[in-house]
Amino acid sequence: MSVSGRDRRRRYSLALIVLTCITLITLDRRADDRGPLGVVGRVAHRIVSPISAAVDSVFDPVGEWLAGVFDGGELRRQNEALRAEVAELQGQIRESDRALAENEEFRKFFGLVWLGDIPTVGATVVADAPPGNFEKTVELNRGSEAGIKVGYAVIVPNGLAGRVVEAWQGGSKVLLITDPTFGVSVRLQDQRIRGPAEGQPGSSTLKLNLSSADLSREQQESIVVGDPVDTCGCDDSEYPPGVPVGSVVRKEQQTSGIALIVRVRPYLDVASLEHVVVLLWEPGDPVPPPPSTTLPSIPSTASTATTARGEPTATVPQGGGVGSGEA
Amino acid sequence: MRFLAPRLIPLGVTLVIVQVALFPQLRLFGVVPDVGLVAAVAVAYRHGPEVGAWFGFAVGFGYDVFLNTPMGLSALAYALCAYLVGSIERGLLRRGRWLPSFLGLLAGIVGGGCFLLVGALAGAEELATTEAIAIQAKVALYGAVVAPFAFAVVNLVLRDDRPAWTLRD
């Protein structure tokens, strides 16, 4: 059986393409964002970003209309579920109002306590629709010209939003905390238990893997739904300590009994993500203590000074966590 | 292929920009279609597997630059898919109006499957899930919807208005 020259050329072409692709994939996985491929990405983003922002503003209403047309049934179901939720929440609002009023008092004195004196850059989300189907990212209007670098943490008033994965002149790309590839070292605030939390494919929660052997029975039982979780800032963590991450929604003991899995729902509300703050903080940078460690006398039931999250601040060590009372 | 290059390059660049700037705003069922893949298949259908594979590689690479998935993954999936469609094109017995949609769906399934499989092998765990398969199925369906338009655009851009003596390519 003879193979014509044209067929042979086609096969060579295909083999060349496949080899090139495999080489690219390998280089990309090994070099991360620092190699020549990362430079290509930054240049391309810089060129396309203004077009993307312009198209975004023009076609956003069209996209919303399309979503309304095709997701009508889903919207109805969501509407019913939300009505039920609203009724339940209204009952909780009265109780929350009292706590909020007290919280507001504290905020007047501390602002975002967990932010400390870390330098920040404010930015606006200019493209909230990721180009691909397997990632949860947004684009910001500030980039390397504002001092933003890859790896910097991005926050919203209620906590961690994500981290910068690409930065170019005039823009940056943020991997959101809800992305399945996101990972962060966290700490259960109340129990002072630390561990790595990772995103989960097909889920908007983070999975916190804890070793049962390292925890006492009391510690394991003390973890309950609603417990707050923040960044631990331990070792070479990419995030400063004390940044709120989310709250515990579920606790599962693995059948082997070796691991305790805690599911954490991030505080971030992606739907209302509009303005963010990028922390110009790198691992190893000093973490300043909270702005004040003593409170003026506030009419409150608390007898000791506490942060907005209720943690004692009088024992904050120098260089310790932002807003953290952890030793 | 040299006669096609002046048309294929602007077409490819435009496709990448449209893919990353326009279609994320026009999501159906929450997904973005693989317009570049469908266009690569259209090029392969019209000009054979080799041209289709190179065009698919170039457009896929352009798209990869904007994604967090491993660089080269879309390029590989688009190129293989275009090569496949270009190879089977001569064996097709019926060429009805539904053919672009069928090829768009086929490309979505084959190209999407290749994307997920190679991605998972390369260590992208988020691609080795049932949710990723469901997303890719929706992408394939959306691809079938946009395929007639993509084929029309490709046919328009690559229409043969060359002198007869140059039609050897």
Side-chain angles (χ1 to χ4, degrees), chain A residues 3 56 97 139 156 214 226 237 252 299 304:
Chain A
V3 180
D56 189 271
D97 278 348
E139 258 182 51
V156 286
D214 297 339
S237 171
E252 301 158 4
T304 56

PDB file of all heavy atoms in Angstrom, chain A residues 3 56 97 139 156 214 226 237 252 299 304:
ATOM      1  N   VAL A   3       1.618   5.321   0.049  1.00  0.00           N
ATOM      2  CA  VAL A   3       1.066   6.554   0.592  1.00  0.00           C
ATOM      3  C   VAL A   3       1.543   7.699  -0.291  1.00  0.00           C
ATOM      4  O   VAL A   3       2.730   7.833  -0.544  1.00  0.00           O
ATOM      5  CB  VAL A   3       1.547   6.767   2.036  1.00  0.00           C
ATOM      6  CG1 VAL A   3       0.969   8.049   2.611  1.00  0.00           C
ATOM      7  CG2 VAL A   3       1.170   5.576   2.891  1.00  0.00           C
ATOM      8  N   ASP A  56     -17.784  44.718  26.309  1.00  0.00           N
ATOM      9  CA  ASP A  56     -18.491  44.370  27.542  1.00  0.00           C
ATOM     10  C   ASP A  56     -19.587  45.391  27.836  1.00  0.00           C
ATOM     11  O   ASP A  56     -20.721  45.039  28.150  1.00  0.00           O
ATOM     12  CB  ASP A  56     -17.480  44.316  28.693  1.00  0.00           C
ATOM     13  CG  ASP A  56     -18.087  43.749  29.954  1.00  0.00           C
ATOM     14  OD1 ASP A  56     -18.635  44.520  30.758  1.00  0.00           O
ATOM     15  OD2 ASP A  56     -18.008  42.531  30.109  1.00  0.00           O
ATOM     16  N   ASP A  97     -29.936  43.442  63.284  1.00  0.00           N
ATOM     17  CA  ASP A  97     -29.845  44.904  63.353  1.00  0.00           C
ATOM     18  C   ASP A  97     -29.086  45.350  64.596  1.00  0.00           C
ATOM     19  O   ASP A  97     -28.257  46.260  64.538  1.00  0.00           O
ATOM     20  CB  ASP A  97     -31.248  45.532  63.334  1.00  0.00           C
ATOM     21  CG  ASP A  97     -31.764  45.641  61.911  1.00  0.00           C
ATOM     22  OD1 ASP A  97     -30.950  45.457  60.984  1.00  0.00           O
ATOM     23  OD2 ASP A  97     -32.975  45.865  61.739  1.00  0.00           O
ATOM     24  N   GLU A 139     -11.614  40.670  35.229  1.00  0.00           N
ATOM     25  CA  GLU A 139     -10.528  41.569  34.837  1.00  0.00           C
ATOM     26  C   GLU A 139     -10.691  42.907  35.529  1.00  0.00           C
ATOM     27  O   GLU A 139     -11.805  43.436  35.626  1.00  0.00           O
ATOM     28  CB  GLU A 139     -10.549  41.772  33.321  1.00  0.00           C
ATOM     29  CG  GLU A 139      -9.499  40.943  32.600  1.00  0.00           C
ATOM     30  CD  GLU A 139      -9.498  41.194  31.107  1.00  0.00           C
ATOM     31  OE1 GLU A 139      -9.450  42.376  30.692  1.00  0.00           O
ATOM     32  OE2 GLU A 139      -9.557  40.207  30.381  1.00  0.00           O
ATOM     33  N   VAL A 156     -12.552  42.286  49.008  1.00  0.00           N
ATOM     34  CA  VAL A 156     -13.758  43.118  49.017  1.00  0.00           C
ATOM     35  C   VAL A 156     -14.028  43.422  50.494  1.00  0.00           C
ATOM     36  O   VAL A 156     -13.385  42.827  51.371  1.00  0.00           O
ATOM     37  CB  VAL A 156     -14.948  42.377  48.370  1.00  0.00           C
ATOM     38  CG1 VAL A 156     -14.785  42.331  46.870  1.00  0.00           C
ATOM     39  CG2 VAL A 156     -15.109  40.985  48.935  1.00  0.00           C
ATOM     40  N   ASP A 214      -4.260  15.163  64.475  1.00  0.00           N
ATOM     41  CA  ASP A 214      -3.700  16.374  65.058  1.00  0.00           C
ATOM     42  C   ASP A 214      -4.712  17.135  65.925  1.00  0.00           C
ATOM     43  O   ASP A 214      -4.359  18.151  66.527  1.00  0.00           O
ATOM     44  CB  ASP A 214      -3.193  17.319  63.945  1.00  0.00           C
ATOM     45  CG  ASP A 214      -2.058  16.684  63.160  1.00  0.00           C
ATOM     46  OD1 ASP A 214      -1.435  15.761  63.711  1.00  0.00           O
ATOM     47  OD2 ASP A 214      -1.818  17.109  62.024  1.00  0.00           O
ATOM     48  N   GLY A 226     -21.191  27.731  60.505  1.00  0.00           N
ATOM     49  CA  GLY A 226     -21.200  29.170  60.759  1.00  0.00           C
ATOM     50  C   GLY A 226     -19.904  29.686  61.337  1.00  0.00           C
ATOM     51  O   GLY A 226     -19.699  30.899  61.401  1.00  0.00           O
ATOM     52  N   SER A 237       2.666  31.598  53.035  1.00  0.00           N
ATOM     53  CA  SER A 237       1.336  31.828  52.476  1.00  0.00           C
ATOM     54  C   SER A 237       1.339  33.089  51.609  1.00  0.00           C
ATOM     55  O   SER A 237       2.039  34.060  51.900  1.00  0.00           O
ATOM     56  CB  SER A 237       0.323  31.984  53.605  1.00  0.00           C
ATOM     57  OG  SER A 237      -0.909  32.418  53.080  1.00  0.00           O
ATOM     58  N   GLU A 252     -17.392  16.952  57.589  1.00  0.00           N
ATOM     59  CA  GLU A 252     -17.531  15.528  57.237  1.00  0.00           C
ATOM     60  C   GLU A 252     -16.337  14.755  57.774  1.00  0.00           C
ATOM     61  O   GLU A 252     -15.198  15.163  57.565  1.00  0.00           O
ATOM     62  CB  GLU A 252     -17.554  15.345  55.704  1.00  0.00           C
ATOM     63  CG  GLU A 252     -18.658  16.079  55.007  1.00  0.00           C
ATOM     64  CD  GLU A 252     -18.348  16.310  53.522  1.00  0.00           C
ATOM     65  OE1 GLU A 252     -17.310  15.827  53.036  1.00  0.00           O
ATOM     66  OE2 GLU A 252     -19.135  17.011  52.879  1.00  0.00           O
ATOM     67  N   PRO A 299     -19.725  52.213  74.947  1.00  0.00           N
ATOM     68  CA  PRO A 299     -20.774  51.548  75.709  1.00  0.00           C
ATOM     69  C   PRO A 299     -21.056  50.172  75.126  1.00  0.00           C
ATOM     70  O   PRO A 299     -21.643  50.043  74.061  1.00  0.00           O
ATOM     71  CB  PRO A 299     -21.985  52.475  75.550  1.00  0.00           C
ATOM     72  CG  PRO A 299     -21.676  53.337  74.385  1.00  0.00           C
ATOM     73  CD  PRO A 299     -20.198  53.401  74.256  1.00  0.00           C
ATOM     74  N   THR A 304     -13.390  43.511  77.557  1.00  0.00           N
ATOM     75  CA  THR A 304     -12.039  43.672  77.019  1.00  0.00           C
ATOM     76  C   THR A 304     -12.123  44.230  75.618  1.00  0.00           C
ATOM     77  O   THR A 304     -13.133  44.100  74.940  1.00  0.00           O
ATOM     78  CB  THR A 304     -11.309  42.308  76.948  1.00  0.00           C
ATOM     79  OG1 THR A 304     -12.110  41.420  76.173  1.00  0.00           O
ATOM     80  CG2 THR A 304     -11.055  41.742  78.315  1.00  0.00           C
TER      81      THR A 304
END
